[in-house]
Amino acid sequence: MKTIADFEVEWQARIPNIQTATLGMGCFWSPDARFGAMPGVIRTRVGFAGGTTHEPVYRQMGDHTETVQIDFDPSLLSFEDIIRTFWAYHTSTHRVTYRERQYMSILFYHDQQQKQTIDKVKKELELERKETIETEIQPFTAFILAEDRHQKYHLKRFKQAAGMLKTSFPSEASFMNSTLIARLNGFVKEFGTLQNIHQEIKLWNIPDSSRHILLDMMQKIRW
Ligand code: MHO
């Protein structure tokens, strides 16, 4: 029998032209939740990027930076919106805060169009703010996933709710890649409301039967 996770994966696969943004803005737990809450975001993952250290892990990330990778539907959310959100919510006037490169302000562009958007918005914000943005900007090369316990970290702190959600998203990968789980991870950090999530699910292109199962499950979660 198909699970909610299966229906969601099928729905995600039907979205044409999914794009990816990759960025670092300090501890990756919070941007995982912030971007996960945004309609148009399909999935988020946290990991390491930008460095040379082989096989980084949280305790030994070497010269990598804590990074969040965001898959999004450009018909609902633009890359420009993503980087405006990025620059609105962290300090970007110096690259290295503490712990060297771990918490850097960094943007990885996936194509020349993203690079142009980055350059345009950066210039605009520098004029507006009258300061120099020191965000490191580099072409995307690789992103290495962080350990499971860092994926949707904030939601996993809600043991009862996360336990219940695990019955519908049993594997770590299905939990990490779920759009619904991303929204709920945003909700627990107050980046979105349950009501917004309900409204959004009503618009998803999934069979009505699975929509009912999803909404019913959301109703039953105890926070
Ligand atoms: N609050 C944590 C940051 C963890 S984040 C995944 C700490 O200060 O150690 O870097």
Side-chain angles (χ1 to χ4, degrees):
M1 210 186 91
K2 277 189 190 165
T3 62
I4 294 177
D6 296 328
F7 281 116
E8 219 198 17
V9 166
E10 284 174 16
W11 165 72
Q12 290 175 341
R14 281 198 299 272
I15 300 168
N17 186 32
I18 290 178
Q19 288 180 19
T20 301
T22 307
L23 48 88
M25 52 193 288
C27 172
F28 51 26
W29 294 337
S30 173
D32 193 20
R34 181 183 295 283
F35 290 104
M38 292 171 82
V41 168
I42 310 302
R43 62 179 86 78
T44 63
R45 312 177 198 87
V46 299
F48 315 104
T52 57
T53 304
H54 194 54
E55 297 184 356
V57 289
Y58 186 68
R59 295 284 165 215
Q60 266 173 326
M61 70 180 76
D63 57 354
H64 287 287
T65 299
E66 290 197 22
T67 299
V68 55
Q69 190 158 66
I70 303 152
D71 289 346
F72 63 101
D73 177 350
S75 73
L76 297 174
L77 178 71
S78 68
F79 179 70
E80 180 163 340
D81 288 335
I82 290 177
I83 57 168
R84 284 191 184 277
T85 302
F86 163 82
W87 270 315
Y89 292 102
H90 77 295
T91 305
S92 56
T93 46
H94 40 274
R95 288 185 190 183
V96 175
T97 42
Y98 64 111
R99 293 204 213 166
E100 299 304 323
R101 296 180 63 90
Q102 179 174 356
Y103 296 121
M104 259 198 337
S105 173
I106 191 163
L107 275 175
F108 300 89
Y109 55 88
H110 288 253
D111 54 37
Q112 283 309 309
Q113 213 176 339
Q114 287 195 351
K115 169 94 168 64
Q116 278 170 19
T117 308
I118 290 169
D119 291 344
K120 183 194 81 166
V121 175
K122 177 171 178 268
K123 225 177 261 167
E124 247 180 70
L125 290 177
E126 286 183 325
L127 280 174
E128 200 180 294
R129 296 176 177 180
K130 298 183 181 61
E131 60 190 23
T132 306
I133 290 178
E134 293 289 346
T135 301
E136 190 166 299
I137 296 162
Q138 28 167 298
F140 174 77
T141 50
F143 171 78
I144 302 103
L145 279 178
E147 296 91 321
D148 292 336
R149 69 192 169 86
H150 291 291
Q151 308 295 339
K152 310 295 180 293
Y153 177 87
H154 289 295
L155 179 58
K156 285 177 179 166
R157 305 277 72 71
F158 287 74
K159 292 270 188 286
Q160 212 184 339
M164 182 173 171
L165 290 163
K166 274 269 161 199
T167 62
S168 299
F169 298 89
S171 71
E172 285 291 342
S174 69
F175 198 89
M176 173 178 71
N177 290 322
S178 161
T179 309
L180 176 69
I181 296 293
R183 297 288 185 278
L184 293 173
N185 188 46
F187 157 72
V188 299
K189 282 292 280 177
E190 298 183 3
F191 293 132
T193 67
L194 288 178
Q195 211 179 351
N196 294 150
I197 302 172
H198 267 271
Q199 291 307 322
E200 201 193 329
I201 290 173
K202 288 191 183 150
L203 302 173
W204 286 3
N205 181 17
I206 51 175
D208 277 335
S209 51
S210 25
R211 193 186 324 279
H212 286 136
I213 298 171
L214 263 185
L215 292 174
D216 187 55
M217 180 187 70
M218 279 192 52
Q219 215 77 53
K220 289 191 181 125
I221 304 172
R222 294 290 161 262
W223 295 97

